[in-house]
Amino acid sequence: MIRTVCLNPALDKTALIAGFKIDAINRIMSMRSDTGGKGINVSKVVTKLGGRTCAYALLGGTVGTQIESDIVDMGISCISVPIEGDTRTNLKIVDTKEGTHTDINESGPVVGSQELLDLLQRLISDIGEGDVVVLSGSLPRGVPQDTYATWIRASRQAGAAVFLDTNGRALTEGIDAMPTLIKPNLHELSELVGQQISSTDDIVRAAKDLLNEGIEVVVVSMGAQGALFATKNETIMAKAPHVPVGSTVGAGDAVIAAMAYAWEHHYKLADAATLAIATGSANVMQSGTQAAERSVIESLLGKVDLREL
């Protein structure tokens, strides 16, 4: 099973505006709400792919109650621990005229150490052989920056593969705990290796450095250009097909979801990369943070361009 950790989930509201202007009145053409946060987005995509998933979430207030109800309605198992603060609401502004996507995200509530420990204990007690644990997204306020590192060590000790998708100190601290897979973007990769990444050769060298530290798979996301997928034995550049853009929010989560699904089903790296890029591209075509149907993903598999490096 794929178990996603949702320490800072959110209700994502997406507003469509034609010609968004700063310091002016803007009229919303349409609005949609989606239960989100990176971990929940991963679970949504895994479900569409046909995988089994369970979301472990810290939830509070009326928004938290709504999110848990939405998760269950989507056919996703949910283990939640109540917190005192209210779960956050994020606003996504899509300018249909200019093709821009602007995120306005709340920081979220402060989380206590006992709440965090309670959720970790629930996760560890549930982990079974062959499980994948996905740790993704920002850490809540009040939580130490080495939290993901602690969860990685505990999850791996329990027998799970662990995928990490975060940034800043949470990423650097997490890498020290040796997750199975990481998915930095180019900016994050530059910070990790302490030098500016400016070419494909730079990306490959930086990925290899991280692999030599003990990580098994490095996925470097490059937005609309696709991603680089690297293990100690293989390096593949996967170019994304050109698709109409509905919303870019959650595209990276879709890639992680596909990689987790591929890992669980023992895909070869080339097949995993193809599925990941097709899944990310399919989700870009959707509105808000809704997950693409499996049929849409499959229609894009043959359009992913793979190149071995």
Side-chain angles (χ1 to χ4, degrees):
M1 177 176 280
I2 296 168
R3 305 184 186 276
T4 66
V5 176
C6 318
L7 300 184
N8 203 14
L11 182 67
D12 291 329
K13 292 187 175 182
T14 303
L16 270 60
I17 299 173
F20 177 68
K21 294 180 176 62
I22 297 174
D23 202 23
I25 295 174
N26 293 272
R27 303 295 181 185
I28 295 175
M29 300 164 53
S30 65
M31 171 81 80
R32 65 172 293 126
S33 295
D34 297 285
T35 288
K38 294 181 73 65
I40 292 173
N41 291 340
V42 170
S43 278
K44 287 191 288 187
V45 176
V46 168
T47 299
K48 292 294 187 180
L49 286 169
R52 292 191 310 125
T53 180
C54 181
Y56 294 76
L58 297 171
L59 298 171
T62 57
V63 173
T65 300
Q66 178 182 342
I67 285 176
E68 182 158 14
S69 177
D70 289 346
I71 292 172
V72 174
D73 287 346
M74 287 184 283
I76 300 169
S77 298
C78 181
I79 304 297
S80 67
V81 168
I83 58 175
E84 290 187 8
D86 292 337
T87 297
R88 62 187 177 141
T89 299
N90 295 333
L91 177 61
K92 318 293 185 182
I93 301 174
V94 178
D95 187 334
T96 58
K97 183 178 179 181
E98 300 296 331
T100 60
H101 298 73
T102 303
D103 292 357
I104 303 173
N105 294 346
E106 294 183 5
S107 297
V110 174
V111 171
S113 58
Q114 188 59 53
E115 297 163 332
L116 201 64
L117 179 60
D118 289 346
L119 190 64
L120 175 58
Q121 290 175 337
R122 292 296 303 273
L123 171 67
I124 299 306
S125 66
D126 289 346
I127 288 175
E129 184 179 353
D131 283 356
V132 179
V133 172
V134 178
L135 303 170
S136 59
S138 60
L139 292 172
R141 290 188 296 155
V143 168
Q145 291 298 309
D146 65 352
T147 294
Y148 279 146
T150 299
W151 286 56
I152 290 166
R153 293 186 180 100
S155 298
R156 296 208 70 169
Q157 181 67 30
V162 185
F163 290 12
L164 178 65
D165 182 18
T166 187
N167 55 35
R169 275 193 59 200
L171 176 59
T172 55
E173 296 273 1
I175 286 175
D176 288 341
M178 293 303 158
T180 309
L181 177 149
I182 60 171
K183 189 189 71 64
N185 58 30
L186 291 177
H187 174 71
E188 291 159 355
L189 185 64
S190 295
E191 290 187 335
L192 286 174
V193 299
Q195 64 182 45
Q196 186 63 38
I197 302 296
S198 58
S199 68
T200 299
D201 287 343
D202 289 342
I203 298 172
V204 172
R205 279 194 295 269
K208 292 297 184 183
D209 287 344
L210 292 167
L211 292 168
N212 289 335
E213 292 181 14
I215 295 167
E216 295 183 48
V217 185
V218 175
V219 179
V220 182
S221 59
M222 296 179 289
Q225 298 303 311
L228 178 133
F229 299 78
T231 66
K232 281 195 172 181
N233 298 320
E234 294 181 89
T235 304
I236 294 173
M237 184 71 75
K239 186 176 181 181
H242 180 73
V243 297
V245 177
S247 173
T248 58
V249 178
D253 305 327
V255 170
I256 281 285
M259 290 301 291
Y261 179 88
W263 181 276
E264 189 178 37
H265 290 81
H266 309 291
Y267 280 34
K268 295 179 180 178
L269 184 63
D271 294 333
T274 300
L275 180 66
I277 295 301
T279 304
S281 298
N283 279 269
V284 165
M285 298 167 63
Q286 311 307 306
S287 299
T289 56
Q290 62 180 320
E293 297 295 334
R294 178 76 188 240
S295 58
V296 180
I297 296 168
E298 290 179 347
S299 73
L300 297 174
L301 291 173
K303 299 179 181 179
V304 178
D305 182 18
L306 295 188
R307 180 163 58 94
E308 293 188 10
L309 301 178

PDB file of all heavy atoms in Angstrom, residues 216-228:
ATOM      1  N   GLU A 216      18.411   5.886  -3.532  1.00  0.00           N
ATOM      2  CA  GLU A 216      18.299   4.911  -4.617  1.00  0.00           C
ATOM      3  C   GLU A 216      17.810   5.517  -5.929  1.00  0.00           C
ATOM      4  O   GLU A 216      18.225   5.083  -7.006  1.00  0.00           O
ATOM      5  CB  GLU A 216      17.366   3.771  -4.195  1.00  0.00           C
ATOM      6  CG  GLU A 216      17.911   2.937  -3.035  1.00  0.00           C
ATOM      7  CD  GLU A 216      17.007   1.779  -2.689  1.00  0.00           C
ATOM      8  OE1 GLU A 216      16.591   1.045  -3.610  1.00  0.00           O
ATOM      9  OE2 GLU A 216      16.703   1.603  -1.497  1.00  0.00           O
ATOM     10  N   VAL A 217      16.905   6.503  -5.845  1.00  0.00           N
ATOM     11  CA  VAL A 217      16.350   7.123  -7.049  1.00  0.00           C
ATOM     12  C   VAL A 217      16.299   8.631  -6.858  1.00  0.00           C
ATOM     13  O   VAL A 217      15.819   9.120  -5.823  1.00  0.00           O
ATOM     14  CB  VAL A 217      14.925   6.611  -7.360  1.00  0.00           C
ATOM     15  CG1 VAL A 217      14.432   7.195  -8.691  1.00  0.00           C
ATOM     16  CG2 VAL A 217      14.867   5.097  -7.387  1.00  0.00           C
ATOM     17  N   VAL A 218      16.796   9.367  -7.847  1.00  0.00           N
ATOM     18  CA  VAL A 218      16.689  10.828  -7.849  1.00  0.00           C
ATOM     19  C   VAL A 218      15.893  11.238  -9.072  1.00  0.00           C
ATOM     20  O   VAL A 218      16.231  10.864 -10.198  1.00  0.00           O
ATOM     21  CB  VAL A 218      18.076  11.507  -7.869  1.00  0.00           C
ATOM     22  CG1 VAL A 218      17.918  13.024  -7.998  1.00  0.00           C
ATOM     23  CG2 VAL A 218      18.856  11.158  -6.612  1.00  0.00           C
ATOM     24  N   VAL A 219      14.819  11.974  -8.843  1.00  0.00           N
ATOM     25  CA  VAL A 219      14.001  12.518  -9.925  1.00  0.00           C
ATOM     26  C   VAL A 219      14.142  14.035  -9.875  1.00  0.00           C
ATOM     27  O   VAL A 219      13.827  14.650  -8.855  1.00  0.00           O
ATOM     28  CB  VAL A 219      12.525  12.122  -9.788  1.00  0.00           C
ATOM     29  CG1 VAL A 219      11.693  12.731 -10.917  1.00  0.00           C
ATOM     30  CG2 VAL A 219      12.372  10.606  -9.747  1.00  0.00           C
ATOM     31  N   VAL A 220      14.650  14.630 -10.939  1.00  0.00           N
ATOM     32  CA  VAL A 220      14.819  16.078 -10.987  1.00  0.00           C
ATOM     33  C   VAL A 220      13.731  16.648 -11.895  1.00  0.00           C
ATOM     34  O   VAL A 220      13.728  16.415 -13.112  1.00  0.00           O
ATOM     35  CB  VAL A 220      16.211  16.474 -11.531  1.00  0.00           C
ATOM     36  CG1 VAL A 220      16.363  17.992 -11.515  1.00  0.00           C
ATOM     37  CG2 VAL A 220      17.309  15.809 -10.705  1.00  0.00           C
ATOM     38  N   SER A 221      12.796  17.368 -11.315  1.00  0.00           N
ATOM     39  CA  SER A 221      11.686  17.899 -12.100  1.00  0.00           C
ATOM     40  C   SER A 221      12.096  19.200 -12.786  1.00  0.00           C
ATOM     41  O   SER A 221      12.758  20.045 -12.203  1.00  0.00           O
ATOM     42  CB  SER A 221      10.461  18.123 -11.215  1.00  0.00           C
ATOM     43  OG  SER A 221      10.739  19.015 -10.170  1.00  0.00           O
ATOM     44  N   MET A 222      11.667  19.325 -14.042  1.00  0.00           N
ATOM     45  CA  MET A 222      12.016  20.487 -14.852  1.00  0.00           C
ATOM     46  C   MET A 222      10.775  21.114 -15.476  1.00  0.00           C
ATOM     47  O   MET A 222      10.807  21.625 -16.603  1.00  0.00           O
ATOM     48  CB  MET A 222      13.028  20.082 -15.928  1.00  0.00           C
ATOM     49  CG  MET A 222      14.350  19.606 -15.347  1.00  0.00           C
ATOM     50  SD  MET A 222      15.548  19.110 -16.605  1.00  0.00           S
ATOM     51  CE  MET A 222      14.811  17.599 -17.171  1.00  0.00           C
ATOM     52  N   GLY A 223       9.657  21.054 -14.762  1.00  0.00           N
ATOM     53  CA  GLY A 223       8.432  21.687 -15.210  1.00  0.00           C
ATOM     54  C   GLY A 223       7.940  21.113 -16.530  1.00  0.00           C
ATOM     55  O   GLY A 223       7.887  19.887 -16.726  1.00  0.00           O
ATOM     56  N   ALA A 224       7.590  22.007 -17.454  1.00  0.00           N
ATOM     57  CA  ALA A 224       7.028  21.591 -18.736  1.00  0.00           C
ATOM     58  C   ALA A 224       8.022  20.796 -19.582  1.00  0.00           C
ATOM     59  O   ALA A 224       7.628  20.099 -20.523  1.00  0.00           O
ATOM     60  CB  ALA A 224       6.544  22.813 -19.513  1.00  0.00           C
ATOM     61  N   GLN A 225       9.310  20.876 -19.245  1.00  0.00           N
ATOM     62  CA  GLN A 225      10.335  20.154 -20.008  1.00  0.00           C
ATOM     63  C   GLN A 225      10.400  18.674 -19.649  1.00  0.00           C
ATOM     64  O   GLN A 225      11.021  17.896 -20.369  1.00  0.00           O
ATOM     65  CB  GLN A 225      11.710  20.795 -19.785  1.00  0.00           C
ATOM     66  CG  GLN A 225      11.802  22.236 -20.253  1.00  0.00           C
ATOM     67  CD  GLN A 225      11.452  22.372 -21.720  1.00  0.00           C
ATOM     68  OE1 GLN A 225      11.962  21.644 -22.567  1.00  0.00           O
ATOM     69  NE2 GLN A 225      10.552  23.297 -22.029  1.00  0.00           N
ATOM     70  N   GLY A 226       9.784  18.291 -18.527  1.00  0.00           N
ATOM     71  CA  GLY A 226       9.812  16.898 -18.113  1.00  0.00           C
ATOM     72  C   GLY A 226      10.671  16.702 -16.883  1.00  0.00           C
ATOM     73  O   GLY A 226      10.632  17.514 -15.956  1.00  0.00           O
ATOM     74  N   ALA A 227      11.482  15.645 -16.867  1.00  0.00           N
ATOM     75  CA  ALA A 227      12.290  15.349 -15.684  1.00  0.00           C
ATOM     76  C   ALA A 227      13.424  14.400 -16.028  1.00  0.00           C
ATOM     77  O   ALA A 227      13.386  13.693 -17.042  1.00  0.00           O
ATOM     78  CB  ALA A 227      11.413  14.732 -14.586  1.00  0.00           C
ATOM     79  N   LEU A 228      14.436  14.411 -15.169  1.00  0.00           N
ATOM     80  CA  LEU A 228      15.520  13.447 -15.245  1.00  0.00           C
ATOM     81  C   LEU A 228      15.312  12.404 -14.159  1.00  0.00           C
ATOM     82  O   LEU A 228      15.004  12.753 -13.012  1.00  0.00           O
ATOM     83  CB  LEU A 228      16.873  14.127 -15.074  1.00  0.00           C
ATOM     84  CG  LEU A 228      18.085  13.184 -15.094  1.00  0.00           C
ATOM     85  CD1 LEU A 228      19.171  13.722 -16.010  1.00  0.00           C
ATOM     86  CD2 LEU A 228      18.646  12.981 -13.685  1.00  0.00           C
TER      87      LEU A 228
END
